[in-house]
Amino acid sequence: MTSSSSSSQDTKRIAHTYPEGLRADALMEEDVAWSHEIDGERDGDQFDRSERAALRRVAGLSTELEDVTEVEYRQLRLERVVLVGVWTSGTVQDAENSLAELAALAETAGAVVLDGVIQRRDKPDAATYIGSGKALELRDIVIETGADTVICDGELSPGQLIHLEDVVKVKVIDRTALILDIFAQHAKSREGKAQVALAQMQYMLPRLRGWGQSLSRQMGGGSGGLATRGPGETKIETDRRRIREKMAKMRREIAEMKTGREIKRQERRRHKVPSVAIAGYTNAGKSSLLNRLTGAGVLVENALFATLDPTVRRAETPSGRLYTLVDTVGFVRHLPHHLVEAFRSTMEEVGDSDLILHVVDGSHPVPEEQLAAVREVIRDVGATDVPEIVVINKADAADPLVLQRLLRTEKRALAVSARTGKGIQELLALLDNELPRPSVEIEALVPYTHGRLVARAHSEGDVISEEHTPEGTLLKARVHEELAAELAQYAPAPAF
């Protein structure tokens, strides 16, 4: 790392070739390359991988002078970016880890990271985020590297965005806009696309800019007449009003989709099927764990926010108890509030579950920060009362000392590896013990003509013993109150 300094502040610059600990892929320990022989068995059929990796055809490359029979492809141009962060608290290692995560986000969005700088300040500058002097230094770095975008590791106000762009003379975006862009690329379902669109409009509304005709008045203000009385709306005010109307429409659509998901949840509750939610930091291995436990075939990729749409799969414990596993959207530090609000209906899957599998990347340099960031979002969605099991994934690539520290700190924690299968059987056994069990123990002599009650006892409860007699099935089981009331009429008469 090289550094530049002034009399008032220190600016730490991350070199073009990141040190080993600061490369963007340092946060993503698994190999980027995917092979069917190695990863196919672990991750199963990943149904949209081929679509995600498909080449894009470029139209209009052939001419009338020759017959072009081969399909031509062109590599899409990637944006060249410079990263900038403000270090206000913590150690320099914390600031560098945050910028390395921003680099990983930028690469996931399809950018090439050329350089990165960290500005040491008590608080971000109100005008240009990093101060006017350092903004000029940043402009020199942009010119030197040939970058076309600057990404700031924080959420910029509209004023900061405009002033910094005026100085560096290239496009400036912040961490929130970057995450929204990744979400827009990866959203597949109708609900996911609607949630991302709502979050983008919430972010864009206060940042609309206007000049020229955008600031001119529209006719029709005032009180009628010849439609010239009163100032009327400006073009930018009209745009804001239309965005608010679209946001209201989008919220109604998301609410309707929420109703459909709630009906499905009620159906699972009616059948007394326990629910387990997989939550955790992005790229911690949640989808790999879901595939390992259920063979779900969910896309697994060495990228941040590779999967956004929640996936529900039915699974079975070693003792034969049925439950559902829900793979939720990944979390990240400083997750934008727009996204938390827009994805609140999806995140409610966590609050409605009976158990949370909190997946953390054991190979990360500071996994405790991931745990804290995820728990903050869990608090925001009101799921603090749901029991939690900490699953330390990537144990095969983790530092043994870090694993020992986490296992000692977390009361209910288990180290596993979705890649190798290590610890999966222990996790299944722990799930079997932790899932809620039926509360009523009952004994009944069920006639053979009512075999459906015996079948329900097996699917919804815990069968302790079962014996076939001439009169019917003598059943002893722990079941829920509703089923217990139906079985009570067949309780055997007490012996005298």
Side-chain angles (χ1 to χ4, degrees):
M1 180 188 304
T2 61
S3 62
S4 60
S5 60
S6 65
S7 58
S8 58
Q9 296 107 347
D10 293 330
T11 302
K12 295 188 176 290
R13 179 173 176 181
I14 300 176
H16 293 266
T17 56
Y18 284 83
E20 187 62 28
L22 287 178
R23 290 185 58 81
D25 55 3
L27 298 176
M28 304 181 288
E29 294 294 336
E30 298 182 2
D31 296 332
V32 175
W34 187 91
S35 69
H36 180 75
E37 292 77 15
I38 298 174
D39 298 318
E41 180 181 354
R42 178 180 86 242
D43 298 324
D45 296 328
Q46 298 170 31
F47 303 127
D48 58 347
R49 172 173 290 279
S50 58
E51 177 188 347
R52 181 80 61 88
L55 294 173
R56 303 188 184 185
R57 185 172 181 176
V58 179
L61 294 185
S62 62
T63 68
E64 295 180 354
L65 300 179
E66 58 180 341
D67 181 20
V68 180
T69 57
E70 297 292 330
V71 178
E72 300 186 42
Y73 295 95
R74 178 184 297 166
Q75 184 177 4
L76 296 178
R77 180 180 176 275
L78 301 179
E79 288 194 60
R80 298 159 59 84
V81 303
V82 171
L83 311 179
V84 56
V86 173
W87 169 26
T88 57
S89 61
T91 64
V92 64
Q93 187 64 41
D94 295 335
E96 290 175 349
N97 285 340
S98 180
L99 205 67
E101 182 176 89
L102 186 68
L105 288 166
E107 291 183 358
T108 301
V112 177
V113 179
L114 302 177
D115 209 342
V117 294
I118 301 172
Q119 169 65 39
R120 184 71 170 100
R121 302 180 63 90
D122 294 333
K123 60 181 180 179
D125 182 69
T128 60
Y129 184 66
I130 55 175
S132 56
K134 297 305 174 185
L136 294 173
E137 290 185 24
L138 179 61
R139 182 188 63 184
D140 295 337
I141 294 173
V142 169
I143 295 173
E144 175 189 343
T145 58
D148 48 31
T149 305
V150 171
I151 304 178
C152 298
D153 192 15
E155 186 167 344
L156 303 187
S157 67
Q160 289 173 325
L161 203 63
I162 294 171
H163 292 149
L164 191 56
E165 277 190 352
D166 287 342
V167 177
V168 299
K169 306 300 182 184
V170 296
K171 181 174 67 174
V172 177
I173 64 173
D174 57 16
R175 184 187 182 96
T176 301
L178 179 61
I179 294 176
L180 286 171
D181 182 77
I182 296 172
F183 273 53
Q185 292 181 43
H186 293 178
K188 295 291 184 184
S189 68
R190 177 169 171 259
E191 183 174 14
K193 291 177 180 178
Q195 289 168 327
V196 173
L198 176 61
Q200 287 177 321
M201 286 187 285
Q202 286 178 311
Y203 174 80
M204 183 174 58
L205 184 60
R207 291 171 174 81
L208 284 181
R209 306 184 198 180
W211 57 84
Q213 282 191 333
S214 295
L215 298 178
S216 63
R217 296 287 177 183
Q218 311 296 304
M219 294 196 340
S223 57
L226 297 177
T228 57
R229 301 174 188 172
E233 284 183 312
T234 62
K235 175 75 163 51
I236 195 170
E237 288 171 343
T238 305
D239 291 341
R240 289 196 181 109
R241 176 166 52 80
R242 287 174 177 169
I243 288 178
R244 291 190 186 98
E245 291 172 355
K246 288 182 180 178
M247 287 171 59
K249 179 182 177 182
M250 201 70 69
R251 287 193 179 99
R252 288 194 297 269
E253 291 180 358
I254 292 174
E256 292 173 1
M257 299 176 203
K258 176 184 175 182
T259 303
R261 196 171 51 252
E262 179 62 29
I263 291 173
K264 294 178 182 178
R265 281 203 296 261
Q266 289 176 357
E267 187 69 11
R268 293 197 293 268
R269 292 193 200 105
R270 187 172 70 84
H271 290 287
K272 309 298 181 185
V273 179
S275 174
V276 178
I278 302 178
Y281 213 76
T282 180
N283 205 47
K286 298 183 299 300
S287 297
S288 291
L289 185 63
L290 177 70
N291 288 348
R292 173 66 74 171
L293 293 174
T294 67
V298 177
L299 172 76
V300 174
E301 191 170 8
N302 189 23
L304 306 183
F305 300 114
T307 51
L308 295 181
D309 303 316
T311 303
V312 182
R313 291 291 184 271
R314 177 166 290 199
E316 190 173 312
T317 65
S319 65
R321 300 177 62 200
L322 293 177
Y323 66 98
T324 58
L325 266 175
V326 184
D327 182 19
T328 61
V329 62
F331 303 142
V332 72
R333 278 182 297 185
H334 314 302
L335 190 66
H337 291 291
H338 315 297
L339 281 175
V340 176
E341 288 301 318
F343 278 79
R344 182 171 294 275
S345 58
T346 301
M347 293 176 181
E348 285 175 358
E349 296 282 359
V350 178
D352 289 339
S353 63
D354 298 297
L355 184 67
I356 296 176
L357 291 185
H358 186 164
V359 184
V360 61
D361 183 357
S363 63
H364 189 272
V366 193
E368 290 85 357
E369 291 184 0
Q370 292 192 353
L371 287 168
V374 174
R375 283 169 176 161
E376 181 179 353
V377 180
I378 289 176
R379 280 196 303 271
D380 289 343
V381 298
T384 53
D385 296 332
V386 182
E388 175 192 69
I389 296 176
V390 176
V391 181
I392 308 168
N393 194 23
K394 305 183 185 179
D396 54 321
D399 184 345
L401 295 178
V402 174
L403 286 180
Q404 292 176 12
R405 187 175 75 235
L406 285 173
L407 292 171
R408 186 172 57 251
T409 305
E410 299 295 331
K411 295 180 180 179
R412 294 200 300 173
L414 189 66
V416 305
S417 172
R419 175 191 288 272
T420 64
K422 174 187 175 183
I424 296 298
Q425 294 303 319
E426 290 83 351
L427 176 59
L428 287 171
L430 185 58
L431 273 174
D432 205 349
N433 291 330
E434 295 293 333
L435 285 175
R437 294 182 177 274
S439 55
V440 181
E441 184 172 324
I442 191 169
E443 185 175 357
L445 183 60
V446 184
Y448 290 120
T449 54
H450 292 74
R452 62 178 183 81
L453 294 177
V454 178
R456 285 183 59 190
H458 279 278
S459 62
E460 300 177 15
D462 290 338
V463 176
I464 301 171
S465 64
E466 185 179 18
E467 180 183 352
H468 299 289
T469 68
E471 294 79 18
T473 303
L474 184 59
L475 187 70
K476 187 175 182 181
R478 279 192 296 268
V479 296
H480 297 285
E481 295 180 359
E482 180 184 345
L483 182 56
E486 295 185 49
L487 288 171
Q489 59 182 316
Y490 302 111
F496 294 100

